[in-house]
Amino acid sequence: MPLEPGARVRVRSMTPPGHVRTPFYLRGKTGAVERVLGPFGNPEQLAYGHAAERLPLYRVRFRMDEVWPDAPNPADTIDAEIYAHWLEPA
Amino acid sequence: MPHDHHHHDHLSPSGHPYRPDQDTGLSYWQVMEIAIRELMIEKGVVTAAEVAAQVEAMDARSPAQGAAVVARAWTDPDFRARLLEDGSAACAEMGFDVKPMRLIAVENDAATHNVVVCTLCSCYPRNLLGLPPDWYKSRAYRSRTVREPRTVLAEFGLNLPDDVTVRVHDSTADMRYIVVPSRPAGTEGLDEAALAALVTRDSMIGVGVAREP
Amino acid sequence: MSTDPSRQGPADPARRWHDMGGDLAGPVPGEEHDFALWEKRVDALVILSGLKGVFTVDGLRRVLEDMGPEAFETMTYYERWVAALNQNHLERGTYTVAELGAKMEEVRARGATYGEAADAT
């Protein structure tokens, strides 16, 4: 079921060795869906020349102090685009 | 200041040094480029004309296109709304076909400053603004902008007060971003073309603000 | 290399080198350069390879990442791109290694500068 804007999500903390577009610094971090995009082909399949599953893509907004606990401006934010299979409800 | 250009003997019309190219020793990588291009043509993957057209299209794209879009957004509230709703479609309205790129416009205001980075590679709204500057692709910019954005912005000469929220946009997937900078004060009488001249490339990446008139 | 102390020494296998968001690093460099013709052509060939359905930008990135941090530090941006462009074409069978080798010999024999070698067609 697609997520709605505002939904709280956590980025999965898996670390496979291949091509992925989920930055390491956001893994395991919790944020809120800012908007829903897509569907887009899964880059983890496209990168190896395979037909790609179409996935929802979410812009997720993270507070700076969630990502960096020592952030001097904790209410600043980072937005990143994360494919559906990297997100779990928080 | 990251912006200050170093002085070189051979500067292009835009004031940047040319990377040695046509008249220096042929590098291994240049040989490879020529060979791949010719093989792609011989194998029928592309034509020479398509390659030339692609280079020409690249040369035609520049920050001036983005500046025109921003100036329109400053002067036309309906266009502004459409731009924030669907950046690609709004650019297409102005004759800037940015497909297949998907553009999101993010707007600065008195309480918010947006800045764009790509920590994983060098994603950039190239179909609107042209190719990214070298510093955008640097380790320092890619690494630090999500960790200490205000310190990075200060290196560009932009010091933001604590009551302005900084929103960093990491271009991790299929979207590309353009920042709509705040319209400078004292520009009420200016027309779109004069306003566009105030919109710098850096202000649309978010490491700067629009010029004062 | 990275100036982030946490990224010195043996690499953390869980975190790949190109995934650099959050590292500490020195000041943002200020220099810019205009792209040379051969660099623009590399860019054009990558874009066209995508438009023609040979491989996607994801394939380009995958090879760039697999080239490792040493390539990032020792090769220029479009040197890395041309290497990744080639790798994808070899994988997709556009041409063979032998065909590439012969063509590179032919190109090199045309002259000592890019202008001479590229203008033969």
Side-chain angles (χ1 to χ4, degrees):
Chain A
M1 197 167 65
L3 297 161
E4 298 290 328
R8 300 286 297 166
V9 289
R10 185 181 307 106
V11 181
R12 295 182 65 183
S13 44
M14 57 188 178
T15 56
H19 175 78
V20 301
R21 296 298 293 179
T22 305
F24 188 89
Y25 74 91
L26 291 175
R27 297 193 200 163
K29 306 298 183 186
T30 299
V33 172
E34 189 265 349
R35 71 180 86 175
V36 184
L37 304 161
F40 290 106
N42 184 351
E44 297 166 19
Q45 294 165 307
L46 290 170
Y48 301 93
H50 302 306
E53 185 188 356
R54 308 272 292 169
L55 295 171
L57 180 68
Y58 297 98
R59 261 172 65 74
V60 181
R61 178 163 293 172
F62 303 86
R63 269 177 63 103
M64 203 55 103
D65 59 351
E66 162 69 11
V67 182
W68 315 111
D70 60 350
N73 293 80
D76 287 351
T77 62
I78 300 171
D79 291 7
E81 301 147 43
I82 312 282
Y83 294 93
H85 66 300
W86 275 90
L87 295 174
E88 54 198 16
Chain B
M1 288 262 311
H3 277 185
D4 288 347
H5 297 134
H6 292 224
H7 292 282
H8 292 262
D9 291 337
H10 298 94
L11 295 181
S12 75
S14 62
H16 301 138
Y18 283 113
R19 184 147 283 177
D21 180 26
Q22 297 274 13
D23 51 356
T24 54
L26 186 62
S27 79
Y28 182 82
W29 308 107
Q30 289 172 342
V31 171
M32 192 183 278
E33 179 273 309
I34 299 167
I36 295 170
R37 174 160 44 88
E38 293 184 5
L39 284 169
M40 285 174 70
I41 292 167
E42 286 168 22
K43 301 288 184 180
V45 177
V46 293
T47 65
E50 286 173 323
V51 179
Q54 196 61 232
V55 170
E56 229 170 85
M58 185 185 313
D59 283 341
R61 293 190 283 258
S62 82
Q65 295 187 342
V69 171
V70 170
R72 176 73 55 88
W74 282 349
T75 53
D76 179 342
D78 292 337
F79 178 80
R80 171 185 164 273
R82 292 197 297 278
L83 178 67
L84 296 176
E85 175 70 28
D86 183 338
S88 307
C91 289
E93 262 182 56
M94 292 188 66
F96 305 132
D97 180 7
V98 301
K99 280 201 294 286
M101 186 181 81
R102 300 273 304 254
L103 189 73
I104 289 183
V106 290
E107 187 182 47
N108 290 348
D109 58 30
T112 313
H113 182 89
N114 294 280
V115 59
V116 181
V117 64
C118 173
T119 61
L120 295 173
C121 49
S122 55
C123 298
Y124 184 79
R126 58 189 351 247
N127 290 7
L128 184 65
L129 303 185
L131 298 175
D134 290 343
W135 55 258
Y136 185 85
K137 304 183 284 190
S138 69
R139 175 183 290 281
Y141 187 76
R142 287 171 50 185
S143 298
R144 293 173 53 216
T145 303
V146 292
R147 177 78 173 261
E148 43 178 15
R150 290 169 186 263
T151 312
V152 170
L153 295 179
E155 285 174 27
F156 282 86
L158 185 57
N159 292 287
L160 296 170
D162 283 341
D163 62 354
V164 171
T165 300
V166 173
R167 297 205 190 285
V168 181
H169 303 273
D170 190 353
S171 311
T172 49
D174 296 272
M175 311 310 289
R176 301 292 175 267
Y177 297 89
I178 180 180
V179 175
V180 180
S182 297
R183 180 171 173 167
T187 58
E188 293 72 19
L190 299 186
D191 66 13
E192 249 183 80
L195 287 169
L198 305 177
V199 183
T200 62
R201 177 196 67 194
D202 288 2
S203 73
M204 294 181 280
I205 303 173
V207 297
V209 293
R211 287 194 194 100
E212 303 288 327
Chain C
M1 302 297 287
S2 171
T3 51
D4 189 329
S6 70
R7 292 270 255 167
Q8 304 297 331
D12 176 358
R15 182 176 177 197
R16 305 189 69 205
W17 71 271
H18 71 278
D19 192 350
M20 54 182 76
D23 277 356
L24 302 173
V28 178
E31 286 169 57
E32 299 184 22
H33 84 284
D34 283 348
F35 298 101
L37 179 58
W38 83 272
E39 295 178 305
K40 292 180 186 178
R41 282 175 168 163
V42 171
D43 197 287
L45 294 176
V46 168
I47 301 297
L48 285 167
S49 297
L51 293 174
K52 300 292 185 179
V54 183
F55 66 91
T56 67
V57 68
D58 311 278
L60 185 88
R61 290 177 184 143
R62 184 250 313 165
V63 173
L64 292 170
E65 293 163 8
D66 289 349
M67 287 166 69
E70 194 186 320
F72 186 78
E73 305 297 344
T74 60
M75 294 164 71
T76 68
Y77 188 78
Y78 282 107
E79 287 172 355
R80 283 177 271 132
W81 270 45
V82 77
L85 168 71
N86 177 57
Q87 178 70 24
N88 274 277
H89 277 292
L90 287 174
E91 289 174 357
R92 306 301 279 182
T94 305
Y95 47 77
T96 66
V97 174
E99 286 173 319
L100 177 67
K103 178 63 81 175
M104 286 176 72
E105 287 278 281
E106 181 195 322
V107 168
R108 200 179 285 288
R110 291 175 193 158
T113 67
Y114 182 79
E116 289 166 344
D119 287 346
T121 46

